[in-house]
Amino acid sequence: MSPVSCYLLVFISVLSLSRVTEGQTAPVIFYPFGSVAGDTVNISTEDEISQLIDLWSPFVFFGRAYNRTYVNSNGDLTFNQSSSEFISQPFPINGSEDIIAPLWTDIDVSVNGIISYQQYSTGSVLTRATQDINQYFPGLNFTAIWVLVATWDRVAYHYHSGTETSFQVVLISGSDLSFILINYGDCAVTYNSVQAGYDTINSTAYFAIPGSNNGNFMPNLKNSTNVNVPGRWAFRVDGGTHQNSLQENVVGIQMRVTSFSDLRDSANIETVIEKLQQELIKYGLPNSVKLNLRRVQKTQP
């Protein structure tokens, strides 16, 4: 079928984004982890645990520089205090804490699985992080000077004995720039509340990975992405004003889709808008902005 051109007229208000593709299984995208990588490994007999990490280098998260973080067992990182909250809240929370949530849900590491973490300031992990960031955010000439890798490997959900879910978050910094990578392996369905993405104090910036508040969607996380790498999400999170370089008077955008029928289904429309927004954010659209579809117009090639 010949491609058709569609004009999507959008207006700007508040936030949401993404791109979803399918492909190879996600574990190959994980950074090194576990005891074989030299991680500090937590194998706990307790349900709720948090590990305080003193960071070797400050991590700037939307304008706030942190020298420590807590790796919380329920699938999130916090900065000012630990969190044992196992009932996730949908982003934006409009709360008083910054949070990075690769998969915030009720996890019970006393059943099975491990949580491990490690910081790096030299070596092949920094080389890999530098390459990844320059691939996903071209033009920055970025060099990683510090990396933190935290991994939840084959952990179980509370009240779901026998389940195994694997995911990872990578914090990367260099100069005045900060990034996070979220990697997904096999994730089991859960009936617990769940949310993935990040949120900031008063939700001045936030991102919810589409579908991640639905426990039935969890197995699809390893195919979801915003950087054309199945299972991986990448975000710039330092919050510098230089990120917001697009002019505010953009009101119309042209896209090309493979079939006009792609835009007749509401779920497809949402996916297209999320893909568009993520692309614009990579080129400077403020992440406090949301794109909504105003009209679809079919034109002849």
Side-chain angles (χ1 to χ4, degrees):
M1 181 178 294
S2 299
V4 297
S5 295
C6 294
Y7 289 88
L8 305 186
L9 297 183
V10 299
F11 82 94
I12 297 177
S13 61
V14 171
L15 164 80
S16 180
L17 42 138
S18 102
R19 176 185 302 165
V20 178
T21 60
E22 295 187 3
Q24 65 190 55
T25 56
V28 296
I29 65 173
F30 277 32
Y31 276 50
F33 71 92
S35 57
V36 294
D39 283 10
T40 298
V41 178
N42 285 335
I43 304 175
S44 179
T45 58
E46 301 177 3
D47 180 11
E48 312 293 342
I49 58 171
S50 295
Q51 180 65 50
L52 173 62
I53 303 174
D54 291 319
L55 305 181
W56 296 348
S57 178
F59 184 74
V60 179
F61 189 68
F62 293 99
R64 285 175 286 275
Y66 291 105
N67 294 303
R68 64 179 188 176
T69 188
Y70 294 87
V71 177
N72 303 306
S73 61
N74 287 318
D76 60 76
L77 273 60
T78 50
F79 296 97
N80 290 322
Q81 60 185 7
S82 62
S83 174
S84 60
E85 183 57 60
F86 57 88
I87 300 176
S88 63
Q89 301 179 54
F91 298 154
I93 299 175
N94 293 304
S96 59
E97 291 289 337
D98 287 331
I99 180 172
I100 299 171
L103 195 61
W104 181 14
T105 190
D106 194 357
I107 291 173
D108 188 355
V109 290
S110 69
V111 176
N112 57 260
I114 63 170
I115 301 172
S116 66
Y117 60 88
Q118 184 171 179
Q119 298 184 72
Y120 300 86
S121 59
T122 59
S124 61
V125 168
L126 263 67
T127 301
R128 179 175 176 181
T130 297
Q131 293 171 344
D132 284 340
I133 297 306
N134 283 312
Q135 176 183 347
Y136 306 145
F137 302 89
L140 294 177
N141 195 26
F142 175 76
T143 300
I145 63 170
W146 171 86
V147 171
L148 169 67
V149 180
T151 308
W152 288 253
D153 181 36
R154 293 173 291 179
V155 296
Y157 300 129
H158 198 57
Y159 299 122
H160 293 59
S161 60
T163 57
E164 293 187 353
T165 291
S166 298
F167 55 93
Q168 182 181 76
V169 62
V170 183
L171 277 58
I172 303 168
S173 68
S175 184
D176 59 346
L177 306 179
S178 301
F179 303 86
I180 57 174
L181 304 180
I182 299 177
N183 299 322
Y184 293 104
D186 290 325
C187 296
V189 168
T190 180
Y191 299 105
N192 300 328
S193 63
V194 63
Q195 180 68 81
Y198 63 79
D199 199 5
T200 58
I201 295 172
N202 298 322
S203 296
T204 54
Y206 66 91
F207 177 75
I209 291 178
S212 67
N213 60 349
N214 181 347
N216 291 319
F217 182 80
M218 296 303 97
N220 296 325
L221 286 173
K222 70 178 182 179
N223 297 320
S224 68
T225 182
N226 67 339
V227 289
N228 280 328
V229 179
R232 171 167 290 175
W233 291 78
F235 306 99
R236 181 177 169 186
V237 295
D238 51 85
T241 55
H242 49 287
Q243 289 181 250
N244 304 328
S245 58
L246 288 189
Q247 294 182 359
E248 295 181 356
N249 59 355
V250 175
V251 295
I253 298 169
Q254 180 179 350
M255 289 183 62
R256 191 172 180 87
V257 296
T258 56
S259 170
F260 187 70
S261 61
D262 289 351
L263 299 175
R264 292 178 179 173
D265 182 272
S266 59
N268 287 341
I269 290 174
E270 181 180 358
T271 298
V272 169
I273 291 296
E274 289 168 348
K275 288 180 179 181
L276 172 60
Q277 178 150 6
Q278 184 59 37
E279 285 300 309
L280 293 176
I281 285 175
K282 289 166 75 173
Y283 290 97
L285 184 74
N287 62 4
S288 59
V289 165
K290 181 178 181 180
L291 301 183
N292 288 325
L293 182 66
R294 183 64 67 83
R295 184 171 76 247
V296 178
Q297 178 180 337
K298 184 177 181 181
T299 62
Q300 296 301 322

